[in-house]
Amino acid sequence: MTVSHDHRALTLNGRRTLILSGAVHYPRSTPAMWPGILRHMRKSGLNTVETYIFWNLHERRRDVLDFSGRLDLVHFCRLAQAAGLKVILRIGPYICAETNFGGLPGWLRDVPGIRMRTDNEPFKREMARWVRLVAEVIRPLTAPQGGPIILAQIENEYDNIAATYGEDGRRYLQWCVDLAQSLDLRIPWVTCAAGRAAEAGQDDAVASADGSLETINAFRAHEMIDAHFQTHPKAPALWTENWTGWYQTWGGVLPKRQPEELAYATARFFAAGGSGVNYFLWHGGTNFGREAMYLLTTSYEFGAPLDEYGLPSTKALHLSRLNHALNACAADFIDCERPVVTATGPAQFTCTYASGLVFLCNDAAEPAVISHHKVDHTLAARSVRIVRPDDEVIYDSAAPLRPIRRTWKSVGAKLTPFTRRAEPLPSDWPADLATPVVSKKPVEQLALTRDETDYCWYETNLDVSAAEAGPGTLTLECTADIVHVFVDGRHVATTPGPLRERRGKFNEGRFTQTFALDLPVGRHRLSILACALGLIKGDWMIGYANMADEHKGLWAPVRWNRRKLAGPWRMQPGLLGERTALFSEAGALAPWKAAPARRADQPLTWWRTNFARPKSTGPFALDLGGMTKGIAWINGRCLGRYWNIPESDPMGPWMVWMKGSLDAVPSGAATQRHYHIPVDWLRDHNTLVVFEELGGDPATVRLLQRV
Ligand code: GAL
């Protein structure tokens, strides 16, 4: 099959084709879930699935490649093809996507002289190597070779950082597109370079490059379509990211996009001359393991049409109805030039295609009447109707649908009594397992952990003189993300949440944390456990410094009142339980102790239980509402981070541009209480291991079914 485009649409074998696509990030679900998700998409009227490629997961260590299980991209594409879907592959390799380090492997930071995403030789060398490797993996799957892949993307939304890099950035973006073209995949390329900035009102930073198709990412693409056609008269209007909802950060509010608003905005785009949409996302899924970006919750539900567990939501019904209506009249608008737009009121329009197909559009926040062919149509606020040439109304975005309501059901799986093991402070590690680094000053965490664990210990002596004794302040001048402070082995303080998604520059005092402590005279052992919450996804999260500058742990002096602690510091990357793989099968051999009969509220504890395969078919979740903060594993596989922090933070100032498209009301409940256990990770006999940093009652942990 050949793939090309004209000024109206993508063309497949020379025929203009309406693209109705949904984004599904393959590592965020499991191979057992893929067929069901893809089948549901086809049934919902989609003809394409879109995914990013996750370099950070495929090459966690340089030259060690993994395309197995959840990372089996080829299998995912083949299943899509079998389900009757085309594929859009967004290679990046910088992909943003709320994934750790925006999709770049953490080890890139260690490449000498590297600066990410600009005209920098070390970065370009690594990127070119990976992109060429990916090209060979996907070549047999491209449409010209009989495969499902019709479109590919290099880079991602460069406009978000273009202003920082100026000419270097422009050269880099052109280099990216030239690299893509040199692969000779014979499908069109996009960069999604611009669009976002225009929406945020910073049109000075708009970036684009020759040789790639420019597309739109937005909540309301119709508002940008005229500008798009003006700048790119030979390109069709393809909407590469139509956000079906939004992501949530720990302690942050979950912004919601209502199904009717989403259906309206989507129909409105086709009314205005659009010819392809990608719902971002159709299925959001789960950030398993340590795969979430900084501060992102483990759930990546995103308010998508399919919930985290792969079950359809009310949004799926609305979009399915729209997709089927668009498919039914596709030829009536795709094969025509852009429509004639007539204003019939201050915010009311008829968009008429040469075929006679008409979209009636009410952009106002209240209902309005639009007359068409002598019929008065009463349109609900912000809604679109599609009227066929014979005057039949084939679609109304505001027509009600019976909502789908979901809840949790107990599966009655009996967990055996929890056993436990204490995670020792680093000075208590067995000598043969300790790998301490000693230095006068604290050493930044990633330099020690290479981002292979969230945890790093910092230990030193704190000598308190008579004059300094009593209540005082411990100041960590520069630290990230969450720290737990222990004095003489006793937990005395923890960073209070919530944290900010946009962390600011490292040198602007935004990383100082202070703790009020009461210390008696004498020599104390100060142990600080730094807990990372994922790496940033882009420069803007650290005040537009380069991503390579990401910092975790401690990297500046610590003071007791005014006095700088003299050191030396003893740093120990990771947990002993990680080193001895307590979460794995082998971990069962270690001596675990019975849990105390009373509530076992203690920091730094590994908890372990077993249960038989539940009788019901799932999908399943773990209710961790009675625990505080940590990581959970099932049968040795990491379910992700958990944190029982309440949803409190209203929309940050940078999110204001979304207003009108999203509602954001903090619920005050836990940001995330339920954690997805994929059905294919369960066995007849299962082991659940939880590492709890602060305390909680494991007896409250439950296995639930989503219904
Ligand atoms: C876009 C970006 C995506 C994702 C999305 C928000 O700007 O291209 O990768 O981050 O925002 O979910």
Side-chain angles (χ1 to χ4, degrees):
M1 175 184 285
T2 60
V3 189
S4 187
H5 69 90
D6 64 10
H7 63 289
R8 270 295 284 142
L10 275 192
T11 54
L12 304 185
N13 280 341
R15 288 204 53 184
R16 283 185 186 162
T17 307
L18 169 66
I19 301 297
L20 297 177
S21 166
V24 179
H25 297 157
Y26 55 95
R28 287 175 158 147
S29 50
T30 58
M33 295 169 73
W34 295 344
I37 292 172
L38 297 166
R39 257 197 319 271
H40 175 268
M41 295 175 79
R42 193 72 192 106
K43 218 176 74 192
S44 306
L46 299 174
N47 57 13
T48 305
V49 57
E50 177 270 319
T51 183
Y52 281 126
I53 295 184
F54 291 72
W55 185 14
N56 54 343
L57 309 184
H58 288 295
E59 196 176 3
R60 291 175 195 270
R61 293 206 172 150
R62 198 174 186 285
D63 289 331
V64 182
L65 298 177
D66 185 359
F67 283 90
S68 67
R70 280 189 292 132
L71 300 178
D72 194 343
L73 170 67
V74 170
H75 181 48
F76 181 79
C77 291
R78 288 281 176 223
L79 286 175
Q81 187 171 29
L85 297 166
K86 307 269 178 261
V87 174
I88 299 175
L89 269 193
R90 304 212 283 164
I91 297 175
Y94 170 77
I95 59 173
C96 197
E98 290 73 69
T99 187
N100 199 48
F101 218 31
L104 302 178
W107 54 258
L108 270 188
R109 295 173 51 268
D110 301 326
V111 174
I114 202 158
R115 302 271 87 191
M116 314 301 178
R117 305 181 67 203
T118 183
D119 192 11
N120 169 279
E121 286 309 320
F123 180 72
K124 292 194 306 187
R125 200 180 322 122
E126 292 296 339
M127 169 168 163
R129 180 183 62 84
W130 170 249
V131 168
R132 290 200 180 104
L133 189 153
V134 167
E136 294 326 308
V137 173
I138 67 172
R139 191 180 300 280
L141 296 162
T142 53
Q145 310 254 354
I149 303 171
I150 54 168
L151 195 68
Q153 181 180 321
I154 192 98
E155 245 295 329
N156 190 74
E157 288 193 338
Y158 198 71
D159 58 322
N160 283 336
I161 58 163
T164 314
Y165 298 104
E167 269 313 308
D168 276 5
R170 257 184 279 278
R171 265 200 306 279
Y172 161 69
L173 193 62
Q174 191 58 57
W175 172 85
C176 289
V177 175
D178 293 346
L179 169 68
Q181 291 294 354
S182 75
L183 304 171
D184 196 26
L185 293 182
R186 294 190 289 138
I187 52 176
W189 285 86
V190 298
T191 58
C192 289
R196 199 50 195 283
E199 181 158 350
Q202 335 159 343
D203 45 11
D204 53 325
V206 171
S208 64
D210 293 341
S212 81
L213 269 179
E214 215 33 81
T215 60
I216 303 173
N217 290 356
F219 281 107
R220 296 180 194 164
H222 67 275
E223 291 173 357
M224 297 154 77
I225 203 169
D226 287 340
H228 171 85
F229 280 124
Q230 228 158 38
T231 336
H232 310 286
K234 293 189 179 141
L238 301 176
W239 188 357
T240 28
E241 287 186 33
N242 177 10
W243 300 302
T244 52
W246 205 247
Y247 58 86
Q248 187 170 23
T249 53
W250 297 114
V253 72
L254 174 64
K256 297 195 177 70
R257 194 169 189 197
Q258 296 305 332
E260 293 82 358
E261 135 70 28
L262 176 58
Y264 151 77
T266 310
R268 188 69 183 80
F269 175 65
F270 291 101
S275 62
V277 67
N278 176 46
Y279 298 103
F280 187 99
L281 294 124
W282 196 266
H283 176 250
T286 309
N287 296 298
F288 297 110
R290 304 175 51 254
E291 295 168 15
M293 74 159 182
Y294 167 66
L295 209 58
L296 182 70
T297 53
T298 291
S299 169
Y300 194 60
E301 178 151 300
F302 212 88
L306 290 180
D307 71 11
E308 180 175 3
Y309 301 84
L311 301 174
S313 68
T314 310
K315 212 169 265 178
L317 303 180
H318 278 268
L319 295 185
S320 170
R321 182 171 68 183
L322 169 62
N323 295 337
H324 287 300
L326 290 169
N327 281 325
C329 62
D332 289 338
F333 62 94
I334 280 279
D335 289 337
C336 301
E337 289 306 305
R338 288 185 69 195
V340 174
V341 178
T342 313
T344 65
Q348 290 74 37
F349 304 91
T350 59
C351 303
T352 311
Y353 283 93
S355 61
L357 186 77
V358 179
F359 288 70
L360 307 178
C361 307
N362 178 20
D363 294 344
E366 50 292 318
V369 174
I370 302 180
S371 295
H372 171 63
H373 286 181
K374 302 210 175 76
V375 178
D376 282 350
H377 293 264
T378 305
L379 270 87
R382 292 170 61 70
S383 71
V384 172
R385 267 185 197 183
I386 306 178
V387 186
R388 280 217 319 225
D390 62 3
D391 289 343
E392 189 194 338
V393 177
I394 57 161
Y395 178 71
D396 180 348
S397 66
L401 278 168
R402 185 131 65 93
I404 298 177
R405 296 195 203 287
R406 302 217 174 263
T407 179
W408 298 103
K409 204 174 108 188
S410 166
V411 292
K414 240 185 135 29
L415 308 186
T416 58
F418 274 85
T419 52
R420 73 187 167 98
R421 273 177 70 92
E423 171 66 30
L425 267 63
S427 34
D428 301 332
W429 282 32
D432 56 328
L433 290 173
T435 51
V437 174
V438 179
S439 145
K440 193 155 169 15
K441 295 181 187 161
V443 176
E444 189 275 328
Q445 170 170 347
L446 295 171
L448 302 170
T449 62
R450 309 212 170 284
D451 196 34
E452 287 175 2
T453 162
D454 279 357
Y455 300 102
C456 190
W457 281 104
Y458 292 82
E459 219 173 37
T460 194
N461 288 331
L462 205 179
D463 292 313
V464 176
S465 66
E468 295 172 318
T473 307
L474 184 76
T475 303
L476 279 50
E477 283 185 6
C478 287
T479 190
D481 295 309
I482 294 285
V483 295
H484 305 307
V485 181
F486 296 78
V487 173
D488 300 325
R490 202 166 57 82
H491 175 231
V492 292
T494 283
T495 312
L499 302 174
R500 293 266 154 201
E501 182 179 338
R502 301 220 165 179
R503 299 157 74 199
K505 283 199 190 329
F506 288 114
N507 56 4
E508 283 178 350
R510 299 269 298 265
F511 290 84
T512 304
Q513 296 190 19
T514 56
F515 302 96
L517 303 182
D518 193 338
L519 296 180
V521 179
R523 164 159 287 198
H524 301 287
R525 180 169 47 130
L526 174 68
S527 320
I528 299 174
L529 179 60
C531 314
L533 286 166
L535 305 188
I536 49 161
K537 67 170 170 176
D539 291 0
W540 57 91
M541 289 171 91
I542 48 172
Y544 290 93
N546 190 274
M547 287 174 77
D549 295 338
E550 171 65 312
H551 282 53
K552 299 287 179 191
L554 287 185
W555 63 91
V558 173
R559 294 173 193 272
W560 173 240
N561 296 327
R562 293 269 168 80
R563 187 172 56 81
K564 212 188 271 184
L565 304 194
W569 286 85
R570 197 166 167 271
M571 274 75 55
Q572 173 61 59
L575 302 172
L576 183 63
E578 288 179 309
R579 199 142 296 201
T580 54
L582 282 185
F583 47 82
S584 69
E585 294 297 294
L589 303 175
W592 292 72
K593 286 195 205 131
R598 295 174 147 271
R599 186 183 154 97
D601 212 353
Q602 8 189 334
L604 306 185
T605 306
W606 293 83
W607 295 102
R608 188 168 183 281
T609 181
N610 300 298
F611 61 93
R613 187 196 296 277
K615 296 219 165 43
S616 52
T617 53
F620 299 112
L622 205 56
D623 178 354
L624 290 177
M627 304 301 282
T628 309
K629 183 176 181 299
I631 303 191
W633 290 262
I634 193 99
N635 299 327
R637 294 179 194 253
C638 187
L639 296 174
R641 303 183 181 104
Y642 70 87
W643 189 6
N644 205 345
I645 181 173
E647 193 178 296
S648 65
D649 193 21
M651 271 191 176
W654 66 273
M655 290 164 101
V656 166
W657 61 274
M658 304 171 169
K659 278 220 171 108
S661 302
L662 298 176
D663 313 326
V665 187
S667 71
T671 314
Q672 183 174 351
R673 173 172 177 165
H674 301 107
Y675 294 82
H676 181 200
I677 303 179
V679 176
D680 44 329
W681 288 11
L682 287 176
R683 307 183 189 143
D684 290 343
H685 301 284
N686 301 284
T687 305
L688 169 68
V689 174
V690 174
F691 173 65
E692 168 60 53
E693 295 165 18
L694 283 166
D697 184 1
T700 60
V701 174
R702 297 273 176 278
L703 193 65
L704 299 175
Q705 186 185 356
R706 184 90 173 136
V707 287

